[in-house]
Amino acid sequence: MSLAPTSRRAAEQGQAGQFRLRAEAEASALPPLLVQAEHLASSMLVGDHGRRRSGVGDEFWQYRPVQAGDSRRMIDHRRSAKGDQQFVREKEWQIAQTVHFWADQGASMRFASQESVPPKIERARLLALAAAVLMVQAGEKVGLTGGSLPPRRGGMQILRMAEAWGKPDEADYAPPEHRALIPHARAVFVSDFLGPMDELETALSKAADRGVSGVVLQVLDPSEEAFPFAGRTRFESVTRGLSFETLKASHLRDRYIERLQERRDKLAHLCRLAGWYFGVHHTDQSAQAGLMWLYHALERKS
């Protein structure tokens, strides 16, 4: 028995209402990190990602004169007919590249010196995920180091990465993960890099052995850079597993800044040996500035 027009409209409206409720429920379940990362990525005006070289693809790139070794089938006769020289129509290289991401989930990354700046872990995740969004928009494959989320294309992969980064590590310092790096891929490591350096050195060495190039971005709270402490001060790790108290914190400032610079110099040295780029970002700086640096560092050829 068919429905009367009024009943049919009511049924259709009921189905539409159910679809809307379901869509709203799914949208509300999206990690806030994903929304922020997509908004940050959309705020950047960038050109095509760095694949502008000849190769196998569908997009026209440029004409060039015929060279020794070119077959006659490569000649573009329409362009060549305009003059006395023969030309080849080159297409753009369109083989998708792979980018692995590691964002430190250790407890030290949860530190923020004041309410006006985000915790380091929030900024690290945001920059890494926004960079992944830009890579996916450029047709690249993205994933996490360690093999837990192999590189794939598409927006669903970005959602998986956001969900994976919603589970912080309880250890003070989480070592960089270097397993399952695809040979000749690229990688992004984002952390405060204030923990032991041995694991990072191993990770960069393993990556270099596989021909993996990449970027190391150190994210610090402004107080970790300036050390604005004086008088009696008690320093504790986020998990409170480490503690130190001093009556004259200002007396430690020069030595602290010297040690921080020594660590930064070592980070830069390790990156040079591995053929990686090294940068520093502070959480009181704009996220757009951090993403711009990260994106262009990924574009550069190591």
Side-chain angles (χ1 to χ4, degrees):
M1 180 177 69
S2 61
L3 295 173
T6 302
S7 300
R8 187 182 302 115
R9 282 198 299 272
E12 291 173 349
Q13 290 173 355
Q15 290 179 344
Q18 291 177 0
F19 287 138
R20 180 178 177 180
L21 288 174
R22 191 182 310 164
E24 289 177 349
E26 292 177 354
S28 65
L30 288 176
L33 170 64
L34 176 59
V35 177
Q36 295 172 17
E38 290 182 336
H39 177 72
L40 177 59
S42 68
S43 71
M44 283 187 56
L45 295 176
V46 295
D48 292 337
H49 189 61
R51 290 178 296 164
R52 299 292 295 176
R53 59 187 189 278
S54 62
V56 180
D58 299 320
E59 297 293 328
F60 167 72
W61 181 34
Q62 66 176 7
Y63 291 110
R64 65 164 175 81
V66 172
Q67 299 174 355
D70 291 337
S71 68
R72 297 188 62 84
R73 290 183 300 177
M74 297 173 63
I75 297 174
D76 187 284
H77 295 286
R78 179 175 297 181
R79 174 64 180 84
S80 301
K82 295 180 180 181
D84 297 330
Q85 192 172 12
Q86 292 183 318
F87 288 88
V88 168
R89 181 185 179 95
E90 287 191 330
K91 296 180 180 179
E92 184 181 351
W93 184 271
Q94 290 191 325
I95 296 176
Q97 299 181 44
T98 297
V99 186
H100 295 274
F101 287 85
W102 174 74
D104 190 347
Q105 305 297 293
S108 73
M109 294 293 288
R110 300 202 290 268
F111 173 71
S113 60
Q114 49 190 314
E115 293 184 0
S116 60
V117 297
K120 293 181 289 183
I121 194 169
E122 290 185 8
R123 181 56 59 84
R125 291 169 174 171
L126 176 60
L127 292 177
L129 194 63
V133 170
L134 293 175
M135 296 297 102
V136 165
Q137 290 175 353
E140 316 286 33
K141 297 178 182 178
V142 298
L144 301 181
T145 60
S148 61
L149 189 60
R152 295 187 179 89
R153 298 187 189 89
M156 185 57 79
Q157 182 74 345
I158 299 297
L159 175 58
R160 296 188 190 103
M161 291 174 68
E163 291 175 340
W165 280 334
K167 305 169 185 176
D169 197 308
E170 292 306 316
D172 277 323
Y173 303 104
E177 179 61 80
H178 56 78
R179 292 175 300 157
L181 291 177
I182 295 176
H184 308 294
R186 285 170 297 164
V188 176
F189 289 175
V190 188
S191 169
D192 58 11
F193 297 107
L194 296 180
M197 299 281 282
D198 294 347
E199 292 289 344
L200 175 63
E201 189 169 359
T202 298
L204 291 178
S205 177
K206 295 285 187 182
D209 290 344
R210 298 170 190 162
V212 175
S213 60
V215 178
V216 164
L217 180 62
Q218 185 181 39
V219 175
L220 294 177
D221 183 273
S223 69
E224 293 174 324
E225 187 76 45
F227 199 81
F229 307 105
R232 183 172 182 174
T233 306
R234 184 181 182 86
F235 299 96
E236 287 184 338
S237 64
V238 175
T239 61
R240 298 190 176 180
L242 299 173
S243 178
F244 174 77
E245 186 172 355
T246 179
L247 296 177
K248 298 181 179 180
S250 59
H251 290 190
L252 303 176
R253 185 175 185 274
D254 290 344
R255 180 56 181 151
Y256 170 84
I257 292 176
E258 181 182 342
R259 292 286 298 274
L260 181 64
Q261 187 58 50
E262 289 173 357
R263 174 173 288 265
R264 185 169 295 161
D265 290 342
K266 185 172 182 179
L267 285 169
H269 176 68
L270 290 175
C271 288
R272 284 194 297 271
L273 290 178
W276 286 40
Y277 290 100
F278 172 69
V280 180
H281 176 78
H282 300 119
T283 54
D284 60 342
Q285 297 173 332
S286 72
Q288 286 88 348
L291 179 59
M292 183 69 75
W293 182 90
L294 186 56
Y295 179 84
H296 288 303
L298 277 169
E299 275 196 323
R300 295 195 292 262
K301 301 298 179 186
S302 298

